[in-house]
mmCIF file of all heavy atoms in Angstrom:
data_model
loop_
_atom_site.group_PDB
_atom_site.id
_atom_site.type_symbol
_atom_site.label_atom_id
_atom_site.label_comp_id
_atom_site.label_asym_id
_atom_site.label_seq_id
_atom_site.Cartn_x
_atom_site.Cartn_y
_atom_site.Cartn_z
ATOM 1 N N PRO A 1 467.803 60.772 78.025
ATOM 2 C CA PRO A 1 468.508 59.966 79.034
ATOM 3 C C PRO A 1 468.587 60.680 80.387
ATOM 4 O O PRO A 1 468.647 61.898 80.461
ATOM 5 C CB PRO A 1 469.898 59.782 78.426
ATOM 6 C CG PRO A 1 470.061 60.927 77.481
ATOM 7 C CD PRO A 1 468.694 61.206 76.950
ATOM 8 N N LYS A 2 468.579 59.885 81.448
ATOM 9 C CA LYS A 2 468.676 60.409 82.808
ATOM 10 C C LYS A 2 469.974 59.906 83.419
ATOM 11 O O LYS A 2 470.219 58.703 83.478
ATOM 12 C CB LYS A 2 467.475 59.942 83.639
ATOM 13 C CG LYS A 2 467.461 60.489 85.054
ATOM 14 C CD LYS A 2 466.238 59.997 85.808
ATOM 15 C CE LYS A 2 466.240 60.543 87.240
ATOM 16 N NZ LYS A 2 465.060 60.045 88.003
ATOM 17 N N PHE A 3 470.823 60.830 83.884
ATOM 18 C CA PHE A 3 472.132 60.469 84.438
ATOM 19 C C PHE A 3 472.070 60.470 85.967
ATOM 20 O O PHE A 3 471.629 61.441 86.580
ATOM 21 C CB PHE A 3 473.205 61.443 83.957
ATOM 22 C CG PHE A 3 473.377 61.448 82.459
ATOM 23 C CD1 PHE A 3 472.669 62.339 81.668
ATOM 24 C CD2 PHE A 3 474.231 60.550 81.847
ATOM 25 C CE1 PHE A 3 472.809 62.347 80.285
ATOM 26 C CE2 PHE A 3 474.390 60.547 80.460
ATOM 27 C CZ PHE A 3 473.684 61.440 79.695
ATOM 28 N N THR A 4 472.504 59.370 86.565
ATOM 29 C CA THR A 4 472.532 59.264 88.027
ATOM 30 C C THR A 4 473.855 58.634 88.472
ATOM 31 O O THR A 4 474.462 57.860 87.734
ATOM 32 C CB THR A 4 471.377 58.391 88.558
ATOM 33 O OG1 THR A 4 471.418 57.103 87.922
ATOM 34 C CG2 THR A 4 470.031 59.034 88.308
ATOM 35 N N THR A 5 474.269 59.005 89.683
ATOM 36 C CA THR A 5 475.451 58.393 90.297
ATOM 37 C C THR A 5 474.972 57.413 91.361
ATOM 38 O O THR A 5 474.163 57.769 92.209
ATOM 39 C CB THR A 5 476.369 59.458 90.920
ATOM 40 O OG1 THR A 5 476.818 60.345 89.883
ATOM 41 C CG2 THR A 5 477.580 58.807 91.579
ATOM 42 N N ARG A 6 475.467 56.177 91.294
ATOM 43 C CA ARG A 6 474.988 55.136 92.190
ATOM 44 C C ARG A 6 476.154 54.362 92.810
ATOM 45 O O ARG A 6 477.200 54.209 92.179
ATOM 46 C CB ARG A 6 474.085 54.150 91.444
ATOM 47 C CG ARG A 6 472.942 54.805 90.668
ATOM 48 C CD ARG A 6 472.334 53.800 89.724
ATOM 49 N NE ARG A 6 471.295 54.415 88.883
ATOM 50 C CZ ARG A 6 470.052 53.974 88.812
ATOM 51 N NH1 ARG A 6 469.671 52.942 89.538
ATOM 52 N NH2 ARG A 6 469.180 54.552 88.024
ATOM 53 N N ILE A 7 475.926 53.866 94.022
ATOM 54 C CA ILE A 7 476.861 52.948 94.667
ATOM 55 C C ILE A 7 476.261 51.552 94.514
ATOM 56 O O ILE A 7 475.131 51.310 94.931
ATOM 57 C CB ILE A 7 477.066 53.258 96.159
ATOM 58 C CG1 ILE A 7 477.523 54.708 96.352
ATOM 59 C CG2 ILE A 7 478.070 52.283 96.773
ATOM 60 C CD1 ILE A 7 478.869 55.022 95.757
ATOM 61 N N VAL A 8 477.011 50.643 93.883
ATOM 62 C CA VAL A 8 476.504 49.307 93.580
ATOM 63 C C VAL A 8 477.372 48.240 94.241
ATOM 64 O O VAL A 8 478.607 48.360 94.257
ATOM 65 C CB VAL A 8 476.482 49.075 92.055
ATOM 66 C CG1 VAL A 8 475.974 47.670 91.727
ATOM 67 C CG2 VAL A 8 475.620 50.132 91.364
ATOM 68 N N HIS A 9 476.710 47.217 94.800
ATOM 69 C CA HIS A 9 477.418 46.034 95.294
ATOM 70 C C HIS A 9 477.426 45.033 94.133
ATOM 71 O O HIS A 9 476.397 44.400 93.866
ATOM 72 C CB HIS A 9 476.707 45.420 96.492
ATOM 73 C CG HIS A 9 476.459 46.384 97.608
ATOM 74 N ND1 HIS A 9 475.843 46.012 98.783
ATOM 75 C CD2 HIS A 9 476.737 47.710 97.750
ATOM 76 C CE1 HIS A 9 475.753 47.057 99.592
ATOM 77 N NE2 HIS A 9 476.289 48.107 98.970
ATOM 78 N N PRO A 10 478.532 44.895 93.409
ATOM 79 C CA PRO A 10 478.532 44.046 92.206
ATOM 80 C C PRO A 10 478.493 42.553 92.529
ATOM 81 O O PRO A 10 479.424 42.018 93.120
ATOM 82 C CB PRO A 10 479.844 44.437 91.516
ATOM 83 C CG PRO A 10 480.743 44.866 92.624
ATOM 84 C CD PRO A 10 479.856 45.531 93.644
ATOM 85 N N TYR A 11 477.412 41.892 92.126
ATOM 86 C CA TYR A 11 477.269 40.449 92.364
ATOM 87 C C TYR A 11 477.851 39.624 91.224
ATOM 88 O O TYR A 11 478.424 38.568 91.424
ATOM 89 C CB TYR A 11 475.787 40.093 92.535
ATOM 90 C CG TYR A 11 475.193 40.496 93.865
ATOM 91 C CD1 TYR A 11 475.891 41.258 94.789
ATOM 92 C CD2 TYR A 11 473.897 40.115 94.199
ATOM 93 C CE1 TYR A 11 475.341 41.625 95.999
ATOM 94 C CE2 TYR A 11 473.319 40.473 95.416
ATOM 95 C CZ TYR A 11 474.045 41.232 96.310
ATOM 96 O OH TYR A 11 473.485 41.594 97.509
ATOM 97 N N GLY A 12 477.649 40.094 89.992
ATOM 98 C CA GLY A 12 478.116 39.328 88.843
ATOM 99 C C GLY A 12 477.767 40.003 87.535
ATOM 100 O O GLY A 12 477.232 41.116 87.511
ATOM 101 N N VAL A 13 478.064 39.311 86.436
ATOM 102 C CA VAL A 13 477.834 39.829 85.085
ATOM 103 C C VAL A 13 477.110 38.756 84.279
ATOM 104 O O VAL A 13 477.376 37.567 84.442
ATOM 105 C CB VAL A 13 479.175 40.192 84.404
ATOM 106 C CG1 VAL A 13 478.965 40.565 82.945
ATOM 107 C CG2 VAL A 13 479.866 41.327 85.147
ATOM 108 N N PHE A 14 476.175 39.164 83.430
ATOM 109 C CA PHE A 14 475.521 38.204 82.537
ATOM 110 C C PHE A 14 475.361 38.830 81.160
ATOM 111 O O PHE A 14 475.464 40.038 80.985
ATOM 112 C CB PHE A 14 474.164 37.745 83.099
ATOM 113 C CG PHE A 14 473.113 38.825 83.131
ATOM 114 C CD1 PHE A 14 472.227 38.985 82.092
ATOM 115 C CD2 PHE A 14 473.002 39.671 84.229
ATOM 116 C CE1 PHE A 14 471.250 39.972 82.129
ATOM 117 C CE2 PHE A 14 472.029 40.655 84.284
ATOM 118 C CZ PHE A 14 471.154 40.805 83.213
ATOM 119 N N ASP A 15 475.131 37.972 80.188
ATOM 120 C CA ASP A 15 474.968 38.399 78.803
ATOM 121 C C ASP A 15 473.512 38.285 78.400
ATOM 122 O O ASP A 15 472.857 37.283 78.678
ATOM 123 C CB ASP A 15 475.831 37.515 77.885
ATOM 124 C CG ASP A 15 475.731 37.934 76.436
ATOM 125 O OD1 ASP A 15 474.744 37.550 75.781
ATOM 126 O OD2 ASP A 15 476.619 38.642 75.939
ATOM 127 N N TYR A 16 472.997 39.325 77.765
ATOM 128 C CA TYR A 16 471.628 39.296 77.263
ATOM 129 C C TYR A 16 471.592 39.921 75.879
ATOM 130 O O TYR A 16 471.955 41.092 75.716
ATOM 131 C CB TYR A 16 470.683 40.042 78.210
ATOM 132 C CG TYR A 16 469.259 40.125 77.705
ATOM 133 C CD1 TYR A 16 468.497 38.971 77.547
ATOM 134 C CD2 TYR A 16 468.681 41.351 77.387
ATOM 135 C CE1 TYR A 16 467.192 39.035 77.083
ATOM 136 C CE2 TYR A 16 467.370 41.424 76.919
ATOM 137 C CZ TYR A 16 466.632 40.268 76.775
ATOM 138 O OH TYR A 16 465.340 40.325 76.310
ATOM 139 N N GLU A 17 471.236 39.113 74.884
ATOM 140 C CA GLU A 17 471.149 39.556 73.493
ATOM 141 C C GLU A 17 472.437 40.239 73.027
ATOM 142 O O GLU A 17 472.414 41.282 72.373
ATOM 143 C CB GLU A 17 469.936 40.480 73.297
ATOM 144 C CG GLU A 17 468.604 39.761 73.500
ATOM 145 C CD GLU A 17 467.407 40.622 73.146
ATOM 146 O OE1 GLU A 17 467.577 41.854 73.058
ATOM 147 O OE2 GLU A 17 466.314 40.066 72.956
ATOM 148 N N GLY A 18 473.570 39.655 73.397
ATOM 149 C CA GLY A 18 474.861 40.146 72.920
ATOM 150 C C GLY A 18 475.439 41.311 73.684
ATOM 151 O O GLY A 18 476.502 41.820 73.323
ATOM 152 N N SER A 19 474.779 41.767 74.768
ATOM 153 C CA SER A 19 475.291 42.879 75.568
ATOM 154 C C SER A 19 475.560 42.408 76.995
ATOM 155 O O SER A 19 474.831 41.557 77.516
ATOM 156 C CB SER A 19 474.300 44.043 75.594
ATOM 157 O OG SER A 19 474.174 44.625 74.319
ATOM 158 N N LEU A 20 476.589 42.972 77.606
ATOM 159 C CA LEU A 20 476.944 42.601 78.974
ATOM 160 C C LEU A 20 476.222 43.496 79.978
ATOM 161 O O LEU A 20 476.110 44.703 79.779
ATOM 162 C CB LEU A 20 478.454 42.712 79.185
ATOM 163 C CG LEU A 20 479.315 41.683 78.456
ATOM 164 C CD1 LEU A 20 480.789 41.934 78.736
ATOM 165 C CD2 LEU A 20 478.944 40.263 78.850
ATOM 166 N N TYR A 21 475.769 42.879 81.065
ATOM 167 C CA TYR A 21 475.078 43.590 82.138
ATOM 168 C C TYR A 21 475.720 43.254 83.478
ATOM 169 O O TYR A 21 476.078 42.105 83.737
ATOM 170 C CB TYR A 21 473.601 43.188 82.206
ATOM 171 C CG TYR A 21 472.749 43.719 81.089
ATOM 172 C CD1 TYR A 21 472.761 43.117 79.832
ATOM 173 C CD2 TYR A 21 471.912 44.817 81.277
ATOM 174 C CE1 TYR A 21 471.963 43.595 78.797
ATOM 175 C CE2 TYR A 21 471.111 45.301 80.253
ATOM 176 C CZ TYR A 21 471.141 44.687 79.018
ATOM 177 O OH TYR A 21 470.359 45.163 77.995
ATOM 178 N N LEU A 22 475.861 44.275 84.310
ATOM 179 C CA LEU A 22 476.271 44.095 85.700
ATOM 180 C C LEU A 22 475.002 44.004 86.534
ATOM 181 O O LEU A 22 474.067 44.773 86.334
ATOM 182 C CB LEU A 22 477.112 45.294 86.156
ATOM 183 C CG LEU A 22 477.332 45.474 87.667
ATOM 184 C CD1 LEU A 22 478.212 44.359 88.215
ATOM 185 C CD2 LEU A 22 477.940 46.843 87.957
ATOM 186 N N TYR A 23 474.955 43.030 87.449
ATOM 187 C CA TYR A 23 473.818 43.002 88.365
ATOM 188 C C TYR A 23 474.324 43.020 89.804
ATOM 189 O O TYR A 23 475.383 42.477 90.118
ATOM 190 C CB TYR A 23 472.912 41.792 88.117
ATOM 191 C CG TYR A 23 473.444 40.458 88.582
ATOM 192 C CD1 TYR A 23 473.082 39.937 89.827
ATOM 193 C CD2 TYR A 23 474.286 39.697 87.776
ATOM 194 C CE1 TYR A 23 473.557 38.710 90.251
ATOM 195 C CE2 TYR A 23 474.762 38.476 88.189
ATOM 196 C CZ TYR A 23 474.397 37.979 89.428
ATOM 197 O OH TYR A 23 474.870 36.766 89.848
ATOM 198 N N GLY A 24 473.585 43.727 90.651
ATOM 199 C CA GLY A 24 473.981 43.835 92.044
ATOM 200 C C GLY A 24 473.039 44.756 92.800
ATOM 201 O O GLY A 24 472.093 45.322 92.229
ATOM 202 N N TYR A 25 473.302 44.909 94.082
ATOM 203 C CA TYR A 25 472.449 45.733 94.935
ATOM 204 C C TYR A 25 472.776 47.208 94.728
ATOM 205 O O TYR A 25 473.926 47.631 94.839
ATOM 206 C CB TYR A 25 472.659 45.361 96.405
ATOM 207 C CG TYR A 25 471.808 46.164 97.358
ATOM 208 C CD1 TYR A 25 470.473 45.845 97.568
ATOM 209 C CD2 TYR A 25 472.348 47.254 98.059
ATOM 210 C CE1 TYR A 25 469.686 46.595 98.440
ATOM 211 C CE2 TYR A 25 471.577 47.995 98.939
ATOM 212 C CZ TYR A 25 470.245 47.662 99.124
ATOM 213 O OH TYR A 25 469.483 48.398 99.985
ATOM 214 N N CYS A 26 471.753 48.001 94.403
ATOM 215 C CA CYS A 26 471.905 49.440 94.185
ATOM 216 C C CYS A 26 471.493 50.166 95.462
ATOM 217 O O CYS A 26 470.349 50.059 95.901
ATOM 218 C CB CYS A 26 471.045 49.881 93.002
ATOM 219 S SG CYS A 26 471.025 51.666 92.737
ATOM 220 N N GLU A 27 472.426 50.913 96.055
ATOM 221 C CA GLU A 27 472.122 51.628 97.300
ATOM 222 C C GLU A 27 471.116 52.748 97.073
ATOM 223 O O GLU A 27 470.368 53.109 97.985
ATOM 224 C CB GLU A 27 473.413 52.181 97.916
ATOM 225 C CG GLU A 27 474.351 51.090 98.418
ATOM 226 C CD GLU A 27 475.529 51.655 99.204
ATOM 227 O OE1 GLU A 27 475.607 52.899 99.351
ATOM 228 O OE2 GLU A 27 476.369 50.859 99.663
ATOM 229 N N LEU A 28 471.062 53.299 95.860
ATOM 230 C CA LEU A 28 470.117 54.373 95.557
ATOM 231 C C LEU A 28 468.678 53.836 95.518
ATOM 232 O O LEU A 28 467.770 54.429 96.104
ATOM 233 C CB LEU A 28 470.468 55.027 94.222
ATOM 234 C CG LEU A 28 469.538 56.143 93.743
ATOM 235 C CD1 LEU A 28 469.608 57.353 94.682
ATOM 236 C CD2 LEU A 28 469.886 56.567 92.317
ATOM 237 N N ARG A 29 468.469 52.712 94.839
ATOM 238 C CA ARG A 29 467.123 52.141 94.680
ATOM 239 C C ARG A 29 466.758 51.141 95.769
ATOM 240 O O ARG A 29 465.618 50.680 95.828
ATOM 241 C CB ARG A 29 466.993 51.470 93.307
ATOM 242 C CG ARG A 29 467.276 52.398 92.120
ATOM 243 C CD ARG A 29 466.385 53.605 92.136
ATOM 244 N NE ARG A 29 466.631 54.463 90.957
ATOM 245 C CZ ARG A 29 466.196 55.696 90.833
ATOM 246 N NH1 ARG A 29 465.489 56.231 91.813
ATOM 247 N NH2 ARG A 29 466.473 56.397 89.747
ATOM 248 N N LYS A 30 467.745 50.760 96.596
ATOM 249 C CA LYS A 30 467.518 49.824 97.706
ATOM 250 C C LYS A 30 467.014 48.460 97.222
ATOM 251 O O LYS A 30 466.184 47.819 97.855
ATOM 252 C CB LYS A 30 466.515 50.398 98.723
ATOM 253 C CG LYS A 30 466.837 51.787 99.224
ATOM 254 C CD LYS A 30 468.150 51.822 99.977
ATOM 255 C CE LYS A 30 468.441 53.218 100.511
ATOM 256 N NZ LYS A 30 469.788 53.321 101.135
ATOM 257 N N GLU A 31 467.527 48.004 96.067
ATOM 258 C CA GLU A 31 467.144 46.705 95.530
ATOM 259 C C GLU A 31 468.164 46.250 94.485
ATOM 260 O O GLU A 31 469.040 47.019 94.084
ATOM 261 C CB GLU A 31 465.754 46.765 94.907
ATOM 262 C CG GLU A 31 465.643 47.731 93.737
ATOM 263 C CD GLU A 31 464.230 47.791 93.170
ATOM 264 O OE1 GLU A 31 463.356 47.083 93.696
ATOM 265 O OE2 GLU A 31 464.018 48.538 92.202
ATOM 266 N N ILE A 32 468.025 44.990 94.050
ATOM 267 C CA ILE A 32 468.900 44.471 93.012
ATOM 268 C C ILE A 32 468.516 45.102 91.680
ATOM 269 O O ILE A 32 467.345 45.131 91.303
ATOM 270 C CB ILE A 32 468.786 42.938 92.899
ATOM 271 C CG1 ILE A 32 469.062 42.267 94.255
ATOM 272 C CG2 ILE A 32 469.736 42.410 91.828
ATOM 273 C CD1 ILE A 32 470.466 42.420 94.753
ATOM 274 N N ARG A 33 469.513 45.604 90.955
ATOM 275 C CA ARG A 33 469.282 46.229 89.661
ATOM 276 C C ARG A 33 470.257 45.691 88.619
ATOM 277 O O ARG A 33 471.317 45.173 88.952
ATOM 278 C CB ARG A 33 469.441 47.751 89.761
ATOM 279 C CG ARG A 33 468.261 48.468 90.447
ATOM 280 C CD ARG A 33 466.990 48.325 89.646
ATOM 281 N NE ARG A 33 465.874 49.050 90.216
ATOM 282 C CZ ARG A 33 465.450 50.245 89.811
ATOM 283 N NH1 ARG A 33 466.061 50.867 88.840
ATOM 284 N NH2 ARG A 33 464.398 50.801 90.376
ATOM 285 N N PHE A 34 469.898 45.851 87.329
ATOM 286 C CA PHE A 34 470.756 45.477 86.213
ATOM 287 C C PHE A 34 471.284 46.751 85.555
ATOM 288 O O PHE A 34 470.539 47.710 85.361
ATOM 289 C CB PHE A 34 469.976 44.671 85.169
ATOM 290 C CG PHE A 34 469.349 43.411 85.704
ATOM 291 C CD1 PHE A 34 468.208 42.886 85.112
ATOM 292 C CD2 PHE A 34 469.899 42.740 86.780
ATOM 293 C CE1 PHE A 34 467.635 41.724 85.588
ATOM 294 C CE2 PHE A 34 469.332 41.581 87.277
ATOM 295 C CZ PHE A 34 468.189 41.069 86.676
ATOM 296 N N PHE A 35 472.578 46.743 85.201
ATOM 297 C CA PHE A 35 473.196 47.913 84.582
ATOM 298 C C PHE A 35 473.938 47.484 83.319
ATOM 299 O O PHE A 35 474.883 46.688 83.382
ATOM 300 C CB PHE A 35 474.177 48.592 85.553
ATOM 301 C CG PHE A 35 473.548 49.032 86.843
ATOM 302 C CD1 PHE A 35 473.616 48.234 87.976
ATOM 303 C CD2 PHE A 35 472.865 50.231 86.920
ATOM 304 C CE1 PHE A 35 473.028 48.625 89.165
ATOM 305 C CE2 PHE A 35 472.271 50.642 88.107
ATOM 306 C CZ PHE A 35 472.349 49.826 89.230
ATOM 307 N N LYS A 36 473.511 48.015 82.187
ATOM 308 C CA LYS A 36 474.148 47.688 80.911
ATOM 309 C C LYS A 36 475.518 48.359 80.849
ATOM 310 O O LYS A 36 475.644 49.562 81.101
ATOM 311 C CB LYS A 36 473.272 48.172 79.760
ATOM 312 C CG LYS A 36 473.666 47.630 78.400
ATOM 313 C CD LYS A 36 472.622 48.001 77.352
ATOM 314 C CE LYS A 36 472.909 47.345 76.015
ATOM 315 N NZ LYS A 36 471.856 47.658 75.010
ATOM 316 N N PHE A 37 476.539 47.584 80.515
ATOM 317 C CA PHE A 37 477.911 48.113 80.477
ATOM 318 C C PHE A 37 478.019 49.366 79.618
ATOM 319 O O PHE A 37 478.693 50.329 79.989
ATOM 320 C CB PHE A 37 478.866 47.043 79.919
ATOM 321 C CG PHE A 37 479.395 46.102 80.959
ATOM 322 C CD1 PHE A 37 478.725 45.892 82.155
ATOM 323 C CD2 PHE A 37 480.582 45.418 80.743
ATOM 324 C CE1 PHE A 37 479.206 45.026 83.116
ATOM 325 C CE2 PHE A 37 481.085 44.543 81.705
ATOM 326 C CZ PHE A 37 480.395 44.350 82.889
ATOM 327 N N LEU A 38 477.371 49.350 78.458
ATOM 328 C CA LEU A 38 477.522 50.452 77.504
ATOM 329 C C LEU A 38 476.868 51.738 77.984
ATOM 330 O O LEU A 38 477.078 52.797 77.393
ATOM 331 C CB LEU A 38 476.942 50.052 76.145
ATOM 332 C CG LEU A 38 477.681 48.902 75.430
ATOM 333 C CD1 LEU A 38 476.990 48.553 74.133
ATOM 334 C CD2 LEU A 38 479.138 49.269 75.179
ATOM 335 N N ARG A 39 476.077 51.677 79.060
ATOM 336 C CA ARG A 39 475.469 52.888 79.621
ATOM 337 C C ARG A 39 476.187 53.357 80.879
ATOM 338 O O ARG A 39 475.745 54.303 81.529
ATOM 339 C CB ARG A 39 473.978 52.635 79.908
ATOM 340 C CG ARG A 39 473.186 52.389 78.637
ATOM 341 C CD ARG A 39 471.726 52.137 78.926
ATOM 342 N NE ARG A 39 471.064 51.585 77.745
ATOM 343 C CZ ARG A 39 470.019 50.786 77.786
ATOM 344 N NH1 ARG A 39 469.486 50.435 78.957
ATOM 345 N NH2 ARG A 39 469.470 50.318 76.680
ATOM 346 N N ILE A 40 477.267 52.677 81.238
ATOM 347 C CA ILE A 40 478.097 53.126 82.363
ATOM 348 C C ILE A 40 479.105 54.134 81.818
ATOM 349 O O ILE A 40 480.011 53.782 81.059
ATOM 350 C CB ILE A 40 478.821 51.943 83.035
ATOM 351 C CG1 ILE A 40 477.807 50.963 83.628
ATOM 352 C CG2 ILE A 40 479.774 52.443 84.125
ATOM 353 C CD1 ILE A 40 478.431 49.714 84.235
ATOM 354 N N ASN A 41 478.926 55.396 82.172
ATOM 355 C CA ASN A 41 479.784 56.453 81.632
ATOM 356 C C ASN A 41 481.123 56.534 82.364
ATOM 357 O O ASN A 41 482.175 56.681 81.752
ATOM 358 C CB ASN A 41 479.057 57.800 81.729
ATOM 359 C CG ASN A 41 477.697 57.754 81.069
ATOM 360 O OD1 ASN A 41 477.574 57.417 79.894
ATOM 361 N ND2 ASN A 41 476.650 58.063 81.828
ATOM 362 N N LYS A 42 481.072 56.452 83.687
ATOM 363 C CA LYS A 42 482.274 56.452 84.523
ATOM 364 C C LYS A 42 482.065 55.471 85.663
ATOM 365 O O LYS A 42 480.930 55.197 86.062
ATOM 366 C CB LYS A 42 482.541 57.849 85.098
ATOM 367 C CG LYS A 42 482.855 58.912 84.062
ATOM 368 C CD LYS A 42 483.091 60.263 84.745
ATOM 369 C CE LYS A 42 483.358 61.357 83.734
ATOM 370 N NZ LYS A 42 483.541 62.686 84.388
ATOM 371 N N TYR A 43 483.168 54.933 86.185
ATOM 372 C CA TYR A 43 483.060 54.036 87.333
ATOM 373 C C TYR A 43 484.336 54.108 88.163
ATOM 374 O O TYR A 43 485.414 54.456 87.656
ATOM 375 C CB TYR A 43 482.801 52.590 86.879
ATOM 376 C CG TYR A 43 483.942 51.970 86.110
ATOM 377 C CD1 TYR A 43 484.934 51.221 86.754
ATOM 378 C CD2 TYR A 43 484.031 52.125 84.731
ATOM 379 C CE1 TYR A 43 485.982 50.659 86.041
ATOM 380 C CE2 TYR A 43 485.072 51.574 84.006
ATOM 381 C CZ TYR A 43 486.040 50.831 84.665
ATOM 382 O OH TYR A 43 487.075 50.290 83.954
ATOM 383 N N GLU A 44 484.190 53.811 89.441
ATOM 384 C CA GLU A 44 485.337 53.795 90.352
ATOM 385 C C GLU A 44 485.149 52.656 91.354
ATOM 386 O O GLU A 44 484.098 52.522 91.975
ATOM 387 C CB GLU A 44 485.447 55.122 91.107
ATOM 388 C CG GLU A 44 486.617 55.162 92.078
ATOM 389 C CD GLU A 44 486.661 56.443 92.894
ATOM 390 O OE1 GLU A 44 485.815 57.340 92.633
ATOM 391 O OE2 GLU A 44 487.520 56.542 93.802
ATOM 392 N N ILE A 45 486.169 51.826 91.481
ATOM 393 C CA ILE A 45 486.131 50.736 92.452
ATOM 394 C C ILE A 45 486.503 51.306 93.818
ATOM 395 O O ILE A 45 487.580 51.878 93.984
ATOM 396 C CB ILE A 45 487.093 49.607 92.050
ATOM 397 C CG1 ILE A 45 486.682 49.020 90.696
ATOM 398 C CG2 ILE A 45 487.100 48.507 93.119
ATOM 399 C CD1 ILE A 45 487.638 47.998 90.139
ATOM 400 N N LEU A 46 485.599 51.186 94.767
ATOM 401 C CA LEU A 46 485.798 51.754 96.098
ATOM 402 C C LEU A 46 486.485 50.762 97.036
ATOM 403 O O LEU A 46 486.530 49.560 96.777
ATOM 404 C CB LEU A 46 484.440 52.170 96.683
ATOM 405 C CG LEU A 46 483.584 53.096 95.807
ATOM 406 C CD1 LEU A 46 482.242 53.367 96.478
ATOM 407 C CD2 LEU A 46 484.313 54.409 95.525
ATOM 408 N N LYS A 47 487.002 51.269 98.138
ATOM 409 C CA LYS A 47 487.634 50.414 99.138
ATOM 410 C C LYS A 47 486.603 49.746 100.045
ATOM 411 O O LYS A 47 486.893 48.736 100.689
ATOM 412 C CB LYS A 47 488.623 51.228 99.986
ATOM 413 C CG LYS A 47 489.825 51.739 99.192
ATOM 414 C CD LYS A 47 490.781 52.514 100.090
ATOM 415 C CE LYS A 47 491.993 53.006 99.304
ATOM 416 N NZ LYS A 47 492.924 53.780 100.165
ATOM 417 N N ASP A 48 485.398 50.314 100.095
ATOM 418 C CA ASP A 48 484.340 49.763 100.946
ATOM 419 C C ASP A 48 483.947 48.364 100.487
ATOM 420 O O ASP A 48 483.821 48.103 99.284
ATOM 421 C CB ASP A 48 483.101 50.662 100.912
ATOM 422 C CG ASP A 48 483.399 52.057 101.454
ATOM 423 O OD1 ASP A 48 484.381 52.192 102.201
ATOM 424 O OD2 ASP A 48 482.650 52.992 101.117
#
């Protein structure tokens, strides 16, 4: 596994094969990405 810290603009959540995913704009990758909830180790809601 590869661990990275990312700033995400959360657009919404969807379900795929019984797992929840966050989708939104990733500032690190400069594009829309999907993030599986169970692979989010830590998170913080920012004021930005």
